[in-house]
Amino acid sequence: MVSTTVLDRFADYLRVELRLSQQTVETYLRECVGAEVYAKDRSLELSLLTTADVIDYLLHRQHADAPLDHRTVAKGLSALRSFFQFCVLEGLRPDNPATTISSPRGEHRLPGVLSVEEVERLLEQIDLASPGGVRDRALFELIYSCGLRISEAVDLELYNLYLDEGLVLVRGKGDRERLVPLGEEAARWVQRYLAEARPCLVKVASERAVFVNRLGGRLSRKGMWKRFHELTRAVGIEAKVHTLRHSFATHLLEGGADLRAVQELLGHADIGTTQIYTHIDTEDLRAYHQQYHPRGGAADREDSSV
């Protein structure tokens, strides 16, 4: 088996050199351990697998008792590419056998999106009678107003808020930072939370997290998920916290925002990721075609033939 020392050094490489998040590091290591077990069962060495071996492993994963979707298999391939690249840098092998393997592609799926009315109904459902309720209103207003990932909301600290300027400094994937405008409504709720609710929740003055739990510590991802699930269940809406981010992007584009501007606001490294929000339903496409195309099919259009 690949020694623990090599995997430890690989983990350090992911954190320090590639600057990946701890969650991604753990995912990559888990994928490598799975490939290592597969290799050991076939008397192979993980660090010495060939391209054919890697393909066989991915096929094995895709057609196992619990088949994986294309995104999970692609993530496994990405992890192995990084591991073998690390092996090359360490002098453990001369090449990367995973670079010539194309990632599997599956059916493109659009993200779930709430209407503006549904977002308002959801936020208005929050009970403001307790400090936790005011916190939740500020939290979800902020996520929707700024298009934050849940991890970005968890990591926010007081020095990241520039309320006088109406800006939030967000640390996204790969530790990339971006400044995001804070809408007036979200700013109002954040200010109320900081003035009225957070002082009731915080136990020690040194706590720098913006959003804290009832014990005074940083509110966790799990805590945010739980509160949002309670809200959606009460309102009768099916959504996840991340749906607010999808809705943020979709509502901006529907309002006429530039795609590249939305890319910057979301913190996407690739504009192709942002383009998933440019969905227009079939009826809209048909209406646009009929209205603007010279042969769109308008029955009452004057016949210009001679």
Side-chain angles (χ1 to χ4, degrees), residues 120-128 137 230-231 234-235:
E120 291 177 349
R121 185 153 54 93
L122 187 68
L123 295 174
E124 290 171 358
Q125 174 66 30
I126 299 173
D127 185 357
L128 303 174
R137 183 65 184 262
E230 291 171 353
L231 286 173
V235 178

Side-chain angles (χ1 to χ4, degrees), residues 18-218:
L18 299 188
R19 300 179 69 186
L20 300 181
S21 68
Q22 182 60 31
Q23 183 179 6
T24 302
V25 171
E26 292 172 357
T27 299
Y28 276 27
L29 289 177
R30 186 165 57 248
E31 294 289 349
C32 288
V33 169
E36 182 186 24
V37 171
Y38 174 87
K40 181 186 177 185
D41 289 344
R42 290 155 180 77
S43 301
L44 300 172
E45 181 71 29
L46 175 59
S47 61
L48 300 178
L49 292 182
T50 66
T51 298
D53 293 331
V54 176
I55 292 173
D56 286 343
Y57 166 67
L58 294 173
L59 290 173
H60 167 77
R61 288 209 65 192
Q62 200 165 19
H63 301 293
D65 292 337
L68 304 175
D69 63 26
H70 73 283
R71 289 172 297 176
T72 304
V73 176
K75 186 181 296 183
L77 177 58
S78 179
L80 291 175
R81 281 198 191 114
S82 294
F83 173 74
F84 289 126
Q85 182 60 33
F86 171 75
C87 289
V88 171
L89 295 174
E90 289 281 294
L92 299 178
R93 63 178 300 144
D95 62 344
N96 185 334
T99 55
T100 58
I101 304 174
S102 299
S103 295
R105 297 184 181 275
E107 181 182 354
H108 182 69
R109 293 196 299 174
L110 297 173
V113 175
L114 298 177
S115 67
V116 175
E117 293 73 18
E118 286 175 323
V119 173
E120 291 177 349
R121 185 153 54 93
L122 187 68
L123 295 174
E124 290 171 358
Q125 174 66 30
I126 299 173
D127 185 357
L128 303 174
S130 68
V134 177
R135 176 206 61 203
D136 292 343
R137 183 65 184 262
L139 168 64
F140 298 128
E141 287 276 4
L142 184 65
I143 290 177
Y144 174 59
S145 177
C146 298
L148 301 186
R149 301 178 177 94
I150 189 170
S151 59
E152 294 169 347
V154 168
D155 292 340
L156 274 181
E157 303 205 344
L158 294 175
Y159 66 84
N160 296 135
L161 301 176
Y162 298 88
L163 297 180
D164 290 341
E165 295 82 4
L167 296 170
V168 179
L169 179 63
V170 180
R171 187 180 300 276
K173 290 185 176 180
D175 280 340
R176 292 189 296 271
E177 292 185 339
R178 67 186 190 277
L179 277 171
V180 182
L182 179 61
E184 292 183 3
E185 187 71 7
R188 183 169 67 84
W189 282 105
V190 170
Q191 288 170 334
R192 176 175 172 180
Y193 161 67
L194 294 177
E196 300 177 11
R198 190 176 183 277
C200 299
L201 296 170
V202 170
K203 307 301 181 185
V204 293
S206 59
E207 178 58 61
R208 308 312 296 166
V210 173
F211 296 106
V212 296
N213 57 33
R214 60 184 178 83
L215 299 178
R218 186 182 300 271

Side-chain angles (χ1 to χ4, degrees), residues 135-136 139-140 150 219-228:
R135 176 206 61 203
D136 292 343
L139 168 64
F140 298 128
I150 189 170
L219 186 63
S220 66
R221 295 164 62 98
K222 185 176 181 181
M224 292 186 187
W225 285 330
K226 179 180 178 181
R227 290 297 301 121
F228 194 76

Side-chain angles (χ1 to χ4, degrees), residues 243-256:
T243 306
L244 291 177
R245 176 173 161 88
H246 295 324
S247 303
F248 159 84
T250 301
H251 296 166
L252 279 175
L253 289 167
E254 288 178 346

